[in-house]
Amino acid sequence: MTTFTTFYLSRVIGEKVFDTSGKYIGIVKDLLIDYNTSNNSLGRPLVNGIEIKYQKKVIFYSFQGFQIEKIQGKMKVTCKELIHLSTEYIENDYHLVDTFLDRQIVDLNGRKLVRVNDIRLVTITTGTFAVAVDIGIEGLLRRIGIVKPIKYVISKFGGNLPAKFILWEDIEAVDFSNLNIRLSKSYSKLETLHPSDLADIIEELGRKESAEVFSLLNEEKAADVLEELKIVTQVHILESLSIEKAADLLEKMPADEVADILDALDEERAELLLNEMEKFASQEVRELLEYPDNSVGSIMTTEILSFNENKTVEEVLTEIRLKKPNAETLYNLFVTDDKEVLKATFSLRDIVVSNPEDKIYQIMQPSIAHLHDYQKVDRIAEIISKYNLLAIPVVNNRHVLQGMVVIDDIIEDLTNKRRTNK
C-alpha cells in the first residue's frame, strides 16, 4: 500500500531543521519546484530543493536529503544528508514562497485572478509534489496559527470553514517580479483561455505584470487579446513593446480596431507604427483615421468580401475557404461592379442553400439599406433594427463600397463600451 504525507507550505516555512543526530541545521525559508510537470509521471511539479537559513547565511540543498513528517499534528523537518543544490536548479526552479505565496495566479476554470494563501503538497514514494493552492480564508488563518480555534468556535454554532482549493493543473502563475525567470520556459496554460477572458485577467494585473504576461503570448493570440483590451490597457501594452513587434501585432488586427488604438496614442508613436506596418495595412488605417469622430466611416470595418455578379456559388465558396475570414466578415457579402460600386448583397445562407453552378446575380438582393461614410452615426441603430441586419454596407458619395458597420460595434456604442470612448 502506498504511504503518503500531505502538508501545507505555511506549516514548514520557519520550522527548525535538525539532522538525525539532533544537530541544528537551520530554518526552512522556501521550497523549490520544477514547474515543468512533464518531467515526472505524476504530472505535478516536483520539489527539487529546500532553502535553509543558518545564522546569516542562506544555503540551498537538494530536497532528496530531507524528510517532512507530521507527528501529533506538528510538522517535523529532518535532514538525513546535506547535498548542495546545483546552480541550475537554484536559477531555473520556481521558489514557492517568492513565486506563489501572497501572489496572484490565474484560476483557469474560473477564468479569473485569485490570490494564493497557502500551498498544499504531498510526499509519496517517488518524491514530494505541489498538488493544489489554497485561496480561501482558511489558508490565511492557518498562516497566523489560529485556524483550529476559529474552526472550533464556528463548529459550536453549526457552521464550518469552507475550503477553497484549486488543483495545480488548473492554475497558471503570472507574477514573477522577484525572480529572474520567465514563464515561457514552460508551456503557458494561459494560451488555452479565450481572448476575452485573458483580456479581463490582464486588465486586473499591474502595469508591469500585464506587459509581462502579454509578452508571453504567441503573435496570433496576442493580436486577438489586444483587440479585446480596454483602450487604456491597449496603449500601455503597445508602449511596452518595440515598434517592430507592435507593428506586427497591429497588422493582424482589423483596420478599424487599429485606427481606434492609434487615435489614442501620441502622434509621434502612431506615425512610427504606421510607417513600420506593411504599406497596404497602413494605408487602410490612415484612411480610417481621416474620418471625423461620430461619423459612420470612423466605426466601419474595411474587412469585407465583395464579388462580381457573374461568379458562381462554387467560386465564391472557394474564395471564402481560401481567405478564411473572421465571423464578422461573413455577416454580409456584397456584389460590386468593375469600379467597386455597390450593386447588391447576399448572405452566407443564400450560397449554402444554392446549387454550386448558380450565378450570384440569381441569388443576390438589391442593397436597399446602406450608409454613407460621412453620415452621422445617430441613425445607424434604427436602420439596422428596421431591416433586421447583422451588418450594413457603407459607401462614399460615388456609391463605391468602403466597408460595413456590424451590429457588434453599434451595441458597444449604445452601451458606452466602445474602446474609442476615452
Side-chain angles (χ1 to χ4, degrees), residues 215-235:
S215 70
L216 301 174
L217 304 174
N218 68 54
E219 205 166 77
E220 294 293 337
K221 189 78 167 188
D224 291 339
V225 171
L226 186 62
E227 188 176 339
E228 298 290 340
L229 293 170
K230 293 177 181 176
I231 190 67
V232 64
T233 311
Q234 288 175 328
V235 170

mmCIF file of all heavy atoms in Angstrom, residues 215-235:
data_model
loop_
_atom_site.group_PDB
_atom_site.id
_atom_site.type_symbol
_atom_site.label_atom_id
_atom_site.label_comp_id
_atom_site.label_asym_id
_atom_site.label_seq_id
_atom_site.Cartn_x
_atom_site.Cartn_y
_atom_site.Cartn_z
ATOM 1 N N SER A 215 3.531 39.605 -23.114
ATOM 2 C CA SER A 215 4.718 39.292 -23.911
ATOM 3 C C SER A 215 4.929 37.796 -24.094
ATOM 4 O O SER A 215 5.680 37.367 -24.978
ATOM 5 C CB SER A 215 5.966 39.911 -23.267
ATOM 6 O OG SER A 215 6.295 39.236 -22.061
ATOM 7 N N LEU A 216 4.267 36.977 -23.263
ATOM 8 C CA LEU A 216 4.442 35.525 -23.340
ATOM 9 C C LEU A 216 3.519 34.868 -24.357
ATOM 10 O O LEU A 216 3.681 33.704 -24.688
ATOM 11 C CB LEU A 216 4.191 34.905 -21.965
ATOM 12 C CG LEU A 216 5.088 35.408 -20.836
ATOM 13 C CD1 LEU A 216 4.644 34.830 -19.510
ATOM 14 C CD2 LEU A 216 6.541 35.073 -21.112
ATOM 15 N N LEU A 217 2.542 35.613 -24.863
ATOM 16 C CA LEU A 217 1.579 35.042 -25.800
ATOM 17 C C LEU A 217 2.177 34.952 -27.191
ATOM 18 O O LEU A 217 2.979 35.798 -27.596
ATOM 19 C CB LEU A 217 0.314 35.901 -25.846
ATOM 20 C CG LEU A 217 -0.396 36.151 -24.507
ATOM 21 C CD1 LEU A 217 -1.544 37.132 -24.698
ATOM 22 C CD2 LEU A 217 -0.890 34.843 -23.917
ATOM 23 N N ASN A 218 1.757 33.934 -27.946
ATOM 24 C CA ASN A 218 2.198 33.884 -29.332
ATOM 25 C C ASN A 218 1.534 35.014 -30.107
ATOM 26 O O ASN A 218 0.549 35.604 -29.672
ATOM 27 C CB ASN A 218 1.924 32.514 -29.968
ATOM 28 C CG ASN A 218 0.442 32.233 -30.138
ATOM 29 O OD1 ASN A 218 -0.315 33.012 -30.727
ATOM 30 N ND2 ASN A 218 -0.012 31.095 -29.610
ATOM 31 N N GLU A 219 2.057 35.317 -31.270
ATOM 32 C CA GLU A 219 1.642 36.517 -32.004
ATOM 33 C C GLU A 219 0.155 36.526 -32.350
ATOM 34 O O GLU A 219 -0.529 37.544 -32.222
ATOM 35 C CB GLU A 219 2.481 36.669 -33.272
ATOM 36 C CG GLU A 219 2.570 38.104 -33.754
ATOM 37 C CD GLU A 219 3.656 38.307 -34.800
ATOM 38 O OE1 GLU A 219 3.413 37.920 -35.951
ATOM 39 O OE2 GLU A 219 4.729 38.843 -34.461
ATOM 40 N N GLU A 220 -0.367 35.388 -32.784
ATOM 41 C CA GLU A 220 -1.782 35.316 -33.161
ATOM 42 C C GLU A 220 -2.669 35.561 -31.944
ATOM 43 O O GLU A 220 -3.640 36.318 -31.995
ATOM 44 C CB GLU A 220 -2.104 33.943 -33.778
ATOM 45 C CG GLU A 220 -1.429 33.671 -35.110
ATOM 46 C CD GLU A 220 -1.953 34.574 -36.215
ATOM 47 O OE1 GLU A 220 -3.090 35.077 -36.082
ATOM 48 O OE2 GLU A 220 -1.229 34.783 -37.204
ATOM 49 N N LYS A 221 -2.338 34.908 -30.829
ATOM 50 C CA LYS A 221 -3.122 35.064 -29.609
ATOM 51 C C LYS A 221 -3.009 36.494 -29.084
ATOM 52 O O LYS A 221 -3.997 37.085 -28.632
ATOM 53 C CB LYS A 221 -2.619 34.086 -28.546
ATOM 54 C CG LYS A 221 -3.501 33.994 -27.309
ATOM 55 C CD LYS A 221 -4.715 33.136 -27.581
ATOM 56 C CE LYS A 221 -5.441 32.755 -26.318
ATOM 57 N NZ LYS A 221 -6.493 31.779 -26.540
ATOM 58 N N ALA A 222 -1.809 37.041 -29.145
ATOM 59 C CA ALA A 222 -1.580 38.400 -28.657
ATOM 60 C C ALA A 222 -2.433 39.412 -29.413
ATOM 61 O O ALA A 222 -3.011 40.323 -28.814
ATOM 62 C CB ALA A 222 -0.102 38.760 -28.765
ATOM 63 N N ALA A 223 -2.537 39.249 -30.731
ATOM 64 C CA ALA A 223 -3.350 40.166 -31.533
ATOM 65 C C ALA A 223 -4.822 40.066 -31.146
ATOM 66 O O ALA A 223 -5.518 41.084 -31.026
ATOM 67 C CB ALA A 223 -3.169 39.861 -33.017
ATOM 68 N N ASP A 224 -5.306 38.841 -30.920
ATOM 69 C CA ASP A 224 -6.703 38.648 -30.517
ATOM 70 C C ASP A 224 -6.979 39.273 -29.146
ATOM 71 O O ASP A 224 -8.023 39.882 -28.931
ATOM 72 C CB ASP A 224 -7.043 37.147 -30.475
ATOM 73 C CG ASP A 224 -7.080 36.527 -31.859
ATOM 74 O OD1 ASP A 224 -7.243 37.278 -32.838
ATOM 75 O OD2 ASP A 224 -6.936 35.292 -31.959
ATOM 76 N N VAL A 225 -6.027 39.091 -28.226
ATOM 77 C CA VAL A 225 -6.201 39.638 -26.878
ATOM 78 C C VAL A 225 -6.130 41.159 -26.897
ATOM 79 O O VAL A 225 -6.923 41.839 -26.239
ATOM 80 C CB VAL A 225 -5.134 39.065 -25.923
ATOM 81 C CG1 VAL A 225 -5.160 39.787 -24.572
ATOM 82 C CG2 VAL A 225 -5.360 37.569 -25.717
ATOM 83 N N LEU A 226 -5.188 41.708 -27.657
ATOM 84 C CA LEU A 226 -5.039 43.164 -27.751
ATOM 85 C C LEU A 226 -6.335 43.814 -28.218
ATOM 86 O O LEU A 226 -6.729 44.872 -27.723
ATOM 87 C CB LEU A 226 -3.894 43.510 -28.706
ATOM 88 C CG LEU A 226 -3.522 44.985 -28.812
ATOM 89 C CD1 LEU A 226 -3.030 45.525 -27.476
ATOM 90 C CD2 LEU A 226 -2.454 45.196 -29.886
ATOM 91 N N GLU A 227 -7.013 43.156 -29.141
ATOM 92 C CA GLU A 227 -8.272 43.681 -29.660
ATOM 93 C C GLU A 227 -9.353 43.748 -28.589
ATOM 94 O O GLU A 227 -10.250 44.593 -28.641
ATOM 95 C CB GLU A 227 -8.739 42.795 -30.828
ATOM 96 C CG GLU A 227 -9.928 43.326 -31.590
ATOM 97 C CD GLU A 227 -10.280 42.454 -32.784
ATOM 98 O OE1 GLU A 227 -9.415 41.696 -33.252
ATOM 99 O OE2 GLU A 227 -11.441 42.523 -33.237
ATOM 100 N N GLU A 228 -9.277 42.856 -27.592
ATOM 101 C CA GLU A 228 -10.301 42.785 -26.547
ATOM 102 C C GLU A 228 -10.030 43.706 -25.356
ATOM 103 O O GLU A 228 -10.907 43.922 -24.531
ATOM 104 C CB GLU A 228 -10.409 41.334 -26.031
ATOM 105 C CG GLU A 228 -10.835 40.313 -27.083
ATOM 106 C CD GLU A 228 -12.283 40.477 -27.499
ATOM 107 O OE1 GLU A 228 -13.054 41.093 -26.736
ATOM 108 O OE2 GLU A 228 -12.640 40.015 -28.592
ATOM 109 N N LEU A 229 -8.829 44.244 -25.263
ATOM 110 C CA LEU A 229 -8.470 45.075 -24.115
ATOM 111 C C LEU A 229 -9.113 46.457 -24.183
ATOM 112 O O LEU A 229 -9.442 46.952 -25.259
ATOM 113 C CB LEU A 229 -6.948 45.236 -24.045
ATOM 114 C CG LEU A 229 -6.131 43.985 -23.727
ATOM 115 C CD1 LEU A 229 -4.653 44.254 -23.945
ATOM 116 C CD2 LEU A 229 -6.377 43.517 -22.297
ATOM 117 N N LYS A 230 -9.262 47.090 -23.022
ATOM 118 C CA LYS A 230 -9.725 48.475 -22.982
ATOM 119 C C LYS A 230 -8.633 49.373 -23.539
ATOM 120 O O LYS A 230 -7.453 49.040 -23.497
ATOM 121 C CB LYS A 230 -10.063 48.873 -21.539
ATOM 122 C CG LYS A 230 -11.265 48.144 -20.978
ATOM 123 C CD LYS A 230 -11.507 48.533 -19.519
ATOM 124 C CE LYS A 230 -12.702 47.773 -18.945
ATOM 125 N NZ LYS A 230 -12.912 48.058 -17.510
ATOM 126 N N ILE A 231 -9.045 50.539 -24.021
ATOM 127 C CA ILE A 231 -8.110 51.410 -24.728
ATOM 128 C C ILE A 231 -6.915 51.794 -23.884
ATOM 129 O O ILE A 231 -5.782 51.821 -24.359
ATOM 130 C CB ILE A 231 -8.845 52.676 -25.243
ATOM 131 C CG1 ILE A 231 -7.944 53.471 -26.180
ATOM 132 C CG2 ILE A 231 -9.368 53.520 -24.108
ATOM 133 C CD1 ILE A 231 -7.639 52.789 -27.473
ATOM 134 N N VAL A 232 -7.124 52.039 -22.583
ATOM 135 C CA VAL A 232 -6.012 52.449 -21.728
ATOM 136 C C VAL A 232 -4.981 51.327 -21.602
ATOM 137 O O VAL A 232 -3.766 51.584 -21.578
ATOM 138 C CB VAL A 232 -6.531 52.894 -20.334
ATOM 139 C CG1 VAL A 232 -7.182 51.735 -19.586
ATOM 140 C CG2 VAL A 232 -5.395 53.496 -19.509
ATOM 141 N N THR A 233 -5.447 50.071 -21.554
ATOM 142 C CA THR A 233 -4.521 48.932 -21.470
ATOM 143 C C THR A 233 -3.856 48.687 -22.819
ATOM 144 O O THR A 233 -2.678 48.327 -22.879
ATOM 145 C CB THR A 233 -5.252 47.665 -20.998
ATOM 146 O OG1 THR A 233 -6.032 47.964 -19.838
ATOM 147 C CG2 THR A 233 -4.268 46.556 -20.655
ATOM 148 N N GLN A 234 -4.609 48.866 -23.902
ATOM 149 C CA GLN A 234 -4.021 48.727 -25.236
ATOM 150 C C GLN A 234 -2.840 49.678 -25.406
ATOM 151 O O GLN A 234 -1.776 49.283 -25.891
ATOM 152 C CB GLN A 234 -5.080 49.021 -26.311
ATOM 153 C CG GLN A 234 -6.139 47.953 -26.468
ATOM 154 C CD GLN A 234 -7.207 48.363 -27.466
ATOM 155 O OE1 GLN A 234 -7.524 49.543 -27.609
ATOM 156 N NE2 GLN A 234 -7.779 47.391 -28.151
ATOM 157 N N VAL A 235 -3.038 50.913 -25.005
ATOM 158 C CA VAL A 235 -1.983 51.917 -25.132
ATOM 159 C C VAL A 235 -0.765 51.521 -24.291
ATOM 160 O O VAL A 235 0.380 51.573 -24.761
ATOM 161 C CB VAL A 235 -2.502 53.304 -24.695
ATOM 162 C CG1 VAL A 235 -1.348 54.298 -24.580
ATOM 163 C CG2 VAL A 235 -3.535 53.810 -25.695
#
